[in-house]
Amino acid sequence: NAGVTQTPKFQVLKTGQSMTLQCAQDMNHEYMSWYRQDPGMGLRLIHYSVGAGITDQGEVPNGYNVSRSTTEDFPLRLLSAAPSQTSVYFCASSYSGGPGGELFFGEGSRLTVL
Amino acid sequence: KQEVTQIPAALSVPEGENLVLNCSFTDSAIYNLQWFRQDPGKGLTSLLLIQSSQREQTSGRLNASLDKSSGRSTLYIAASQPGDSATYLCAVKFNAGKSTFGDGTTLTVKP
């Protein structure tokens, strides 16, 4: 019962570097999403996907790219990291983007951009 | 814009008190509302999920209610304990399918 798995758990980048945060779920969930959480704040939606091949922007998409080639995986790419992207990133999935879908979260990936 | 608000941002109570945390949202067209607990530096633990058609859900000392018409949910914690100290977040899944979070209420239960 792995649930939602995020890697890496910690990462330090220099400004301008690129990287990919990985997210995988083994629950056959259609809906997957990425959030960021800054100190003292709730979670803000970056990108989401309602199924393989379908992605859409959330509240704070700038500086991030996503793709969904399989049901299981939903990687988040930072193309050119900036200090403003220092945050904790959470991946979440649910059975459906519609009614009934309970959100399940990964443990988070803590990113520091110097 | 679909928004979720949690007031107060912080709450401190003595052990044993019953307490209520509030979550309000701007659009009554929702699929569900979910309450989470987050300990410092940790991930999110799901506490209760209330579907749009439901009025309340209970788990142990926790009871969550939902009033769509007024755009409000409450999380009731009975007989609070120091171990209940954490940040409590509510997430509302609006009919567009995206879940929007409030900023949370940080609860401290003093022995």
Side-chain angles (χ1 to χ4, degrees):
Chain A
N1 272 7
V4 180
T5 303
Q6 291 183 234
T7 56
K9 287 186 169 48
F10 301 93
Q11 183 72 47
V12 179
L13 291 178
K14 294 180 180 178
T15 297
Q17 286 185 318
S18 63
M19 77 157 300
T20 299
L21 299 176
Q22 302 289 346
C23 176
Q25 53 88 11
D26 62 356
M27 297 173 281
N28 201 31
H29 283 172
E30 291 183 350
Y31 180 88
M32 297 186 73
S33 54
W34 277 102
Y35 290 86
R36 62 176 287 173
Q37 185 178 34
D38 299 310
M41 298 180 67
L43 280 70
R44 291 183 292 169
L45 184 65
I46 305 171
H47 285 286
Y48 67 100
S49 169
V50 297
I54 306 169
T55 63
D56 205 347
Q57 296 181 350
E59 185 184 357
V60 288
N62 292 341
Y64 307 95
N65 272 3
V66 292
S67 60
R68 183 99 179 267
S69 57
T70 67
T71 299
E72 295 78 19
D73 300 299
F74 191 46
L76 179 71
R77 298 182 185 84
L78 283 71
L79 304 177
S80 179
S84 61
Q85 294 179 304
T86 293
S87 189
V88 181
Y89 291 84
F90 288 99
C91 179
S93 72
S94 69
Y95 177 73
S96 166
E102 178 180 6
L103 276 175
F104 294 83
F105 277 85
E107 294 185 350
S109 297
R110 189 174 297 270
L111 175 66
T112 301
V113 183
L114 303 175
Chain B
K1 183 181 178 183
Q2 295 166 329
E3 296 181 338
V4 179
T5 303
Q6 293 185 248
I7 295 174
L11 181 64
S12 180
V13 301
E15 181 177 3
E17 267 203 11
N18 302 325
L19 60 101
V20 173
L21 305 180
N22 297 298
C23 174
S24 61
F25 46 94
T26 55
D27 186 347
S28 63
I30 70 171
Y31 282 146
N32 62 46
L33 185 146
Q34 196 168 350
W35 281 94
F36 294 87
R37 168 187 173 135
Q38 186 176 33
D39 294 296
K42 301 295 185 181
L44 281 75
T45 300
S46 181
L47 298 174
L48 289 166
L49 171 71
I50 309 178
Q51 301 295 348
S52 174
S53 59
Q54 297 175 323
R55 294 299 299 268
E56 65 177 339
Q57 283 286 340
T58 298
S59 176
R61 294 184 293 109
L62 305 180
N63 176 277
S65 68
L66 175 64
D67 183 345
K68 286 191 304 179
S69 62
S70 65
R72 292 190 61 191
S73 175
T74 60
L75 179 65
Y76 174 82
I77 303 177
S80 59
Q81 303 170 356
D84 294 329
S85 297
T87 296
Y88 292 80
L89 296 157
C90 74
V92 178
K93 180 182 281 189
F94 294 101
N95 281 4
K98 298 176 285 187
S99 288
T100 300
F101 280 77
D103 286 341
T105 294
T106 298
L107 172 67
T108 302
V109 181
K110 297 181 178 179

